[in-house]
Amino acid sequence: MNVKKILKTSVVTAIASVCLNAGDLTIATVNNGHMVEMQKLSKVFEKENPGINLKWVVLEEGVLRQRVTTDIATKGGQFDIMTIGMYEAPMWGKKGWIEEMKFDAAYDEKDLLPAMVDGLSSDGKLYAAPFYGESSMLMYRKDLLEKAGMTITDNPTWEHISEVAKVIHNPDQGVYGICLRGKAGWGDNMALITTMANTFGAQWFDKDGRPQLNSAAWNNTMDYYVDLLTKYGPPGSSGNSFNEILALFNEGKCGMWIDATIAASFISDPAQSKVADKVAFAQSPVGVTSKGANWLWSWALAIPSSSKNVTDAQKFISWATSKEYIKLVGDTNGWGKVPTGTRKSTYENENFKKAAVFADAELKAILSAKPKDSTLMPTPFVGVQFVTIPEFQGIATSVGKDMSAALAGKISVKEALADSQETAERTMKRARYYK
């Protein structure tokens, strides 16, 4: 075969391959329960849209963040739809890395909770559609508290949490007083630790952008956190994040848990949880202030500008974040299992209110989070459990490792914070936030 014929054959093969894959949408998402369910139910979408084939890349949270960040920054074009959050959406939208969301009237964009729209927008433009939204709150075993003669109200003090944990901690019976995130990651342990630090009067940066990780308030936070989990947490807490603790709680091994409100739909589900009828909910604990006690987040779907299938990607996102999708989940799996925290109509739905014992507590937490006023002392940056600057992800990833090491007893709290401060100062100076 001559060279011209080989080249012609190669071109024809390449064109055929492109044509065969023209309707493929590659979706990168996190391995959380609601996302896994979306993948299952997406067969409905494919049936309604026979020209579109969905390809799924389902990853653990930390790995997902790394993969999508690398792909978006390098314009790699691996994905047509990315699962991102309130940290990435406004920054990436402003840079032109992701597409602005476009919806028709039937989508009812005004039904979306304002907190979710604001957190996923930049300059009034929405850059990611919320698939589910969350804050954080306290979830606990009411049977254990009743037996111990103790109570919990909204926004208890962290001191009271310690007292309760001490009384209900019973490792011989496989019950630990409290379970909290310890796994290293800016969206793992640092999400929880930052809300604790907020209420202890700490902050990542002062009004001039200078790191404050070696402050007395941060030392108080970390001393308390390590002491609490060392005394009353499960073994191996430094390796636990959302999914690990969810499994522990559902097995009846956690007396209390402060984490994402979305967990409530799983721990109150009899099909998943052995203690579904024994759980209760309260607003997050506070220290010297109530500011920043509970976070605000949304796992949302966005379209990278490198996608060659923007129209089809927008069509899928419109379907997956619609009122109709929520109804599909409710009708298929039960209304207690629908993705929450995104639409007003969900909380107005009688079927949902009957099935979701956590609904009021979840909505209250979401509405109370204030990303622009989450620290006791003023700061120029926005965010509750994160800071919306490009450098934060790298800083907090490093800090998360230090905090996890302190929890594991590998280094002291003082050493962890000193190293964290050095990392943060070096990064912020290099980025010229200050001299």
Side-chain angles (χ1 to χ4, degrees):
M1 185 180 289
N2 61 38
V3 174
K4 287 185 179 180
K5 192 168 183 180
I6 292 173
L7 289 173
K8 184 177 179 181
T9 302
S10 299
V11 170
V12 170
T13 302
I15 292 173
S17 177
V18 170
C19 291
L20 284 172
N21 296 313
D24 288 353
L25 286 181
T26 302
I27 305 170
T29 195
V30 67
N31 63 343
N32 290 348
H34 285 306
M35 301 304 193
V36 173
E37 195 58 37
M38 174 175 62
Q39 183 181 1
K40 294 177 184 176
L41 292 175
S42 65
K43 292 181 175 60
V44 174
F45 174 82
E46 289 181 305
K47 188 175 181 180
E48 294 173 352
N49 299 272
I52 303 176
N53 304 306
L54 305 178
K55 307 294 182 183
W56 294 86
V57 180
V58 182
L59 302 166
E60 184 270 334
E61 185 172 323
V63 178
L64 173 77
R65 295 184 195 280
Q66 292 172 356
R67 288 280 299 276
V68 299
T69 299
T70 299
D71 190 68
I72 202 79
T74 60
K75 298 182 181 179
Q78 293 183 57
F79 310 114
D80 298 294
I81 296 171
M82 292 176 166
T83 304
I84 63 173
M86 290 184 172
Y87 172 70
E88 301 93 347
M91 291 193 297
W92 292 1
K94 197 168 187 176
K95 288 178 178 288
W97 291 354
I98 52 179
E99 299 288 319
E100 181 184 356
M101 291 286 105
K102 301 289 186 181
F103 299 112
D104 59 24
Y107 183 80
D108 194 5
E109 197 170 342
K110 291 182 179 180
D111 184 49
L112 296 175
L113 291 173
M116 298 300 149
V117 174
D118 291 346
L120 296 168
S121 299
S122 178
D123 297 327
K125 296 179 180 179
L126 183 65
Y127 285 102
F131 179 71
Y132 71 79
E134 65 185 38
S135 183
S136 54
M137 65 182 178
L138 170 61
M139 298 161 278
Y140 64 95
R141 289 272 302 277
K142 59 185 178 182
D143 61 320
L144 297 180
L145 269 76
E146 289 171 2
K147 185 178 179 180
M150 304 194 79
T151 59
I152 285 179
T153 58
D154 278 349
N155 300 123
T157 64
W158 275 106
E159 183 180 359
H160 183 63
I161 293 300
S162 291
E163 294 170 356
V164 174
K166 180 180 180 180
V167 173
I168 64 175
H169 186 61
N170 191 352
D172 290 340
Q173 297 297 316
V175 176
Y176 305 99
I178 191 164
C179 295
L180 298 173
R181 296 187 186 196
K183 186 176 183 179
W186 73 269
D188 289 298
N189 63 339
M190 293 317 300
L192 182 277
I193 290 172
T194 300
T195 60
M196 292 181 67
N198 292 339
T199 74
F200 274 70
Q203 60 195 121
W204 279 89
F205 307 102
D206 68 10
K207 60 184 178 60
D208 299 316
R210 294 177 182 273
Q212 299 294 297
L213 289 157
N214 59 353
S215 66
W218 265 104
N219 271 277
N220 292 340
T221 302
M222 287 307 301
D223 280 341
Y224 175 87
Y225 167 79
V226 170
D227 184 67
L228 181 68
L229 280 178
T230 300
K231 288 180 177 177
Y232 312 123
S237 284
S238 62
N240 289 343
S241 192
F242 180 87
N243 285 331
E244 291 83 6
I245 300 174
L246 175 62
L248 287 170
F249 199 103
N250 282 346
E251 285 295 315
K253 296 182 180 297
C254 297
M256 292 182 290
W257 181 22
I258 296 100
D259 211 301
T261 54
I262 204 71
S265 62
F266 304 125
I267 64 175
S268 61
D269 176 13
Q272 302 181 55
S273 173
K274 293 180 179 179
V275 293
D277 61 339
K278 298 178 175 65
V279 296
F281 310 95
Q283 299 304 297
S284 292
V286 301
V288 300
T289 179
S290 61
K291 286 189 174 185
N294 53 290
W295 70 60
L296 185 68
W297 183 256
S298 171
W299 278 119
L301 303 179
I303 306 169
S305 298
S306 56
S307 172
K308 301 296 190 295
N309 300 299
V310 172
T311 300
D312 287 346
Q314 179 70 68
K315 185 179 291 187
F316 176 79
I317 291 174
S318 296
W319 175 82
T321 62
S322 66
K323 288 187 282 188
E324 289 70 27
Y325 175 82
I326 293 172
K327 184 177 185 302
L328 173 64
V329 177
D331 291 344
T332 305
N333 300 325
W335 278 90
K337 299 180 182 180
V338 301
T340 60
T342 61
R343 288 183 171 273
K344 302 170 190 174
S345 56
T346 300
Y347 295 92
E348 296 165 356
N349 187 294
E350 291 300 324
N351 292 321
F352 174 70
K353 289 195 284 188
K354 288 178 183 177
V357 295
F358 55 86
D360 291 342
E362 177 181 62
L363 185 59
K364 185 176 181 179
I366 289 171
L367 297 179
S368 70
K370 293 179 172 56
K372 295 179 181 178
D373 184 26
S374 62
T375 56
L376 184 61
M377 301 300 290
T379 179
F381 306 124
V382 174
V384 182
Q385 79 280 17
F386 58 84
V387 178
T388 313
I389 57 173
E391 294 77 17
F392 179 78
Q393 183 171 342
I395 292 172
T397 296
S398 178
V399 173
K401 292 177 182 177
D402 287 332
M403 301 309 161
S404 187
L407 178 59
K410 296 178 180 178
I411 57 175
S412 69
V413 165
K414 187 176 182 180
E415 290 170 327
L417 289 172
D419 186 60
S420 296
Q421 177 72 11
E422 185 179 334
T423 298
E425 284 182 349
R426 185 170 59 249
T427 303
M428 295 298 278
K429 283 180 181 178
R430 189 185 301 129
R432 298 185 179 180
Y433 282 90
Y434 66 95
K435 294 181 180 180

